[in-house]
Amino acid sequence: MTDLERRTGIFAALADQSRLRIVDLLTTGDLSSSEIGATLGLRSNLVAHHLGVLESAQIITRSRSEFDRRRNYIGLRPEVFDTLAPASIVPPQRVLFVCTANSARSQLAEAIWRETSAVDVASAGTRPANAVNPEATASAARHGLTIASDHPPQHIDDVRADGDLVITVCDDAHERLRDGDDLHWSIRDPARIGTAAAFDAAFDTLFRRIRSFSSRLLPI
């Protein structure tokens, strides 16, 4: 069985509400089949069916009671949910965040990445502005990060290097590059609204994306 087949089987098994309720119970302790049935109000034949599916998907284990040898206790395989995520990613030489003006989203992404990962990072734009948007600088500061004043917007052609993993963080840049990026994150442009809340919302979205993605990178 391949890793993808194993994960598919687990997700398929958990698609049933009763089986998901059983798994929820087992996250806090081991139970016998009769205890599961009593707690969830399920008939014994239904409990047996659901446990059979969960066992086939390698989600649960059974162990015989040391006291009453006729009773089995059901428990979760401890490694199951730690291995449901997709495979880890080999770190690139550098991550390059790209938006249109390189004045807000890509600058925020660079600042967040620099504090999150040991992998090198840079940012650029397809049509760089003259300066970083002050609201982006203020949003970074509210989150304890810094966008350097001596780091003006730059064009992607002047920054991009071999080995870069290019992540576009705006739709305009993604569509202008025409498959010239490696990944695309569709982040709304906070400058269109211009409020502190809009920039903080962009920051929060980027932070969640970066935290999730960087956690999949293998150690360097």
Side-chain angles (χ1 to χ4, degrees), residues 92-106:
Q93 294 182 28
R94 186 178 69 168
V95 172
L96 176 61
F97 289 106
V98 179
C99 66
T100 303
N102 190 212
S103 63
R105 286 165 288 182
S106 57

Side-chain angles (χ1 to χ4, degrees), residues 4-5 12 27 40 42 51 85 93 95 98-99 103 110 133-134 140 146 168 182 184 186 211:
L4 183 60
E5 290 171 334
T27 59
L40 298 181
L42 296 174
L51 291 179
Q93 294 182 28
V95 172
V98 179
C99 66
S103 63
E110 179 182 356
N133 191 310
T146 301
T168 48
D182 299 295
H184 173 53
S186 182
R211 181 176 59 183

Side-chain angles (χ1 to χ4, degrees), residues 101-163:
N102 190 212
S103 63
R105 286 165 288 182
S106 57
Q107 293 275 359
L108 287 170
E110 179 182 356
I112 296 167
W113 184 275
R114 201 176 299 282
E115 292 297 315
T116 304
S117 174
V119 175
D120 196 15
V121 64
S123 67
T126 54
R127 292 179 292 168
N130 293 324
V132 175
N133 191 310
E135 288 291 347
T137 303
S139 180
R142 284 192 292 273
H143 292 85
L145 301 180
T146 301
I147 296 178
S149 58
D150 60 350
H151 186 18
Q154 301 179 80
H155 195 279
I156 183 173
D157 291 344
D158 298 326
V159 179
R160 190 174 195 170
D162 291 341

Side-chain angles (χ1 to χ4, degrees), residues 18-185:
S18 293
R19 289 195 284 275
L20 187 57
R21 291 169 68 200
I22 291 172
V23 169
D24 285 345
L25 286 178
L26 296 177
T27 59
T28 58
D30 300 338
L31 296 168
S32 67
S33 59
S34 59
E35 289 170 333
I36 291 172
T39 302
L40 298 181
L42 296 174
R43 298 192 306 272
S44 60
N45 62 323
L46 284 177
V47 173
H49 166 70
H50 291 312
L51 291 179
V53 174
L54 293 172
E55 191 168 30
S56 295
Q58 302 180 25
I59 295 172
I60 63 170
T61 60
R62 301 175 189 256
S63 60
R64 192 171 298 278
S65 167
E66 290 184 335
F67 178 70
D68 181 352
R69 304 292 295 176
R70 295 169 298 178
R71 172 178 292 208
N72 286 312
Y73 284 104
I74 316 300
L76 290 180
R77 290 181 177 270
E79 75 282 1
V80 167
F81 298 105
D82 292 335
T83 59
L84 282 181
S88 297
I89 300 170
V90 176
Q93 294 182 28
R94 186 178 69 168
V95 172
L96 176 61
F97 289 106
V98 179
C99 66
T100 303
N102 190 212
S103 63
R105 286 165 288 182
S106 57
Q107 293 275 359
L108 287 170
E110 179 182 356
I112 296 167
W113 184 275
R114 201 176 299 282
E115 292 297 315
T116 304
S117 174
V119 175
D120 196 15
V121 64
S123 67
T126 54
R127 292 179 292 168
N130 293 324
V132 175
N133 191 310
E135 288 291 347
T137 303
S139 180
R142 284 192 292 273
H143 292 85
L145 301 180
T146 301
I147 296 178
S149 58
D150 60 350
H151 186 18
Q154 301 179 80
H155 195 279
I156 183 173
D157 291 344
D158 298 326
V159 179
R160 190 174 195 170
D162 291 341
D164 280 351
L165 177 73
V166 178
I167 303 178
T168 48
V169 290
C170 85
D171 299 338
D172 184 275
H174 171 63
E175 292 161 19
R176 284 181 181 276
L177 289 177
R178 298 183 181 180
D179 299 324
D181 54 357
D182 299 295
L183 298 173
H184 173 53
W185 297 349

